Amino acid sequence: TQLLEQSPQFLSIQEGENLTVYCNSSSVFSSLQWYRQEPGEGPVLLVTVVTGGEVKKLKRLTFQFGDARKDSSLHITAAQPGDTGLYLCAGARGSNYKLTFGKGTLLTVNP
Amino acid sequence: NAGVTQTPKFRVLKTGQSMTLLCAQDMNHEYMYWYRQDPGMGLRLIHYSVGEGTTAKGEVPDGYNVSRLKKQNFLLGLESAAPSQTSVYFCASRKGGSEEKLFFGSGTQLSVL
């Protein structure tokens, strides 16, 4: 059972376009993280959201945690080729912090 | 600081062979994790450790064993490799307490023929 559903699975856009990636679950998480992974490397944390309704901005990236803490979105404004990568959301539950990862969204930004 | 270092980076095994993947972190982190990443499956937790001398099962532990004899090292063992264990393996560590950030190694690509 996949607890975290990410959509879309693949996304190919032109430089300058905006995009939104979604992460949905029927479960409640204590916090949710977004990672970016480049080929041949491990995931790198972008942001952690903890409070329902929370919005965090990281330059051109905007992250939102749903009010019920079951879903999240990542919005990129004016995408650049350097944004290309696999975006993973991960939900945390429990004191041992076992993260459940979504399958990821593979983003390609074409120049 | 090197962060999280995984060795080896690549390995090819024959079915039935055994091997150990090494993960080392120099950040004095309490928590360490082993994940596998497969196409279309995302990252799945194999085993984890909440401190030196402790280990626990994750989501997909069958066919793997782990040990955390020293705080900085977390070993993942395959006693009898199977083709289903062909995957990219990632180690991660976390400081613990309220610190939520996971630091990942660069992965080990394992092929079992």
Side-chain angles (χ1 to χ4, degrees), chain A residues 7-87:
Chain A
S7 61
Q9 188 175 357
F10 301 96
L11 188 56
S12 181
I13 61 172
Q14 294 299 122
E15 183 175 0
E17 293 183 356
N18 301 331
L19 67 112
T20 302
V21 175
Y22 300 93
C23 178
N24 296 304
S25 175
S26 58
S27 301
V28 176
F29 293 99
S30 57
S31 66
L32 198 139
Q33 298 183 335
W34 284 92
Y35 290 81
R36 190 175 86 182
Q37 184 179 16
E38 298 189 15
E41 297 295 328
V44 176
L45 180 68
L46 295 174
V47 77
T48 301
V49 285
V50 179
T51 306
E54 183 177 4
V55 177
K56 281 191 174 180
K57 292 190 175 183
L58 185 65
K59 296 184 180 179
R60 294 176 293 100
L61 278 61
T62 301
F63 305 85
Q64 187 164 5
F65 202 12
D67 291 340
R69 290 187 287 129
K70 292 182 179 181
D71 54 82
S72 182
S73 64
L74 158 61
H75 182 79
I76 301 179
T77 303
Q80 299 177 359
D83 295 327
T84 293
L86 179 67
Y87 289 81

Side-chain angles (χ1 to χ4, degrees), chain A residues 1-2 9 30-31 33 35 37 40-45 48-50 86 88 95-104, chain B residues 31 33 35 37 40-45 48 50 56-59 88 90 94 97 99-107:
Chain A
T1 303
Q2 185 65 34
Q9 188 175 357
S30 57
S31 66
Q33 298 183 335
Y35 290 81
Q37 184 179 16
E41 297 295 328
V44 176
L45 180 68
T48 301
V49 285
V50 179
L86 179 67
L88 297 159
S95 59
N96 290 332
Y97 211 71
K98 293 184 293 181
L99 287 178
T100 298
F101 281 84
K103 294 181 180 181
Chain B
Y31 291 66
Y33 307 81
Y35 287 89
Q37 186 174 37
M41 297 296 292
L43 283 157
R44 293 181 291 170
L45 182 64
Y48 65 100
V50 301
K57 294 181 180 180
E59 181 185 355
V88 182
F90 287 98
R94 180 172 77 94
E99 179 55 57
E100 299 171 327
K101 183 177 181 179
L102 278 185
F103 292 80
F104 281 85
S106 57

Side-chain angles (χ1 to χ4, degrees), chain B residues 2-3 8 11 14 17 22-23 33 59-60 75 77 80 99 106:
Chain B
R11 186 72 186 268
K14 294 182 179 179
Q17 287 185 320
L22 172 63
C23 177
Y33 307 81
E59 181 185 355
V60 288
L75 278 63
S80 180
E99 179 55 57
S106 57

Side-chain angles (χ1 to χ4, degrees), chain B residues 2-68:
Chain B
V4 179
T5 303
Q6 290 184 234
T7 53
K9 290 189 179 299
F10 303 94
R11 186 72 186 268
V12 178
L13 291 178
K14 294 182 179 179
T15 297
Q17 287 185 320
S18 63
M19 79 160 294
T20 301
L21 280 66
L22 172 63
C23 177
Q25 52 93 5
D26 61 2
M27 297 174 284
N28 199 35
H29 284 178
E30 291 294 332
Y31 291 66
M32 297 186 75
Y33 307 81
W34 275 108
Y35 287 89
R36 60 178 289 173
Q37 186 174 37
D38 303 290
M41 297 296 292
L43 283 157
R44 293 181 291 170
L45 182 64
I46 305 171
H47 285 281
Y48 65 100
S49 169
V50 301
E52 181 179 311
T54 74
T55 64
K57 294 181 180 180
E59 181 185 355
V60 288
D62 294 343
Y64 305 95
N65 56 76
V66 287
S67 64
R68 184 104 181 264

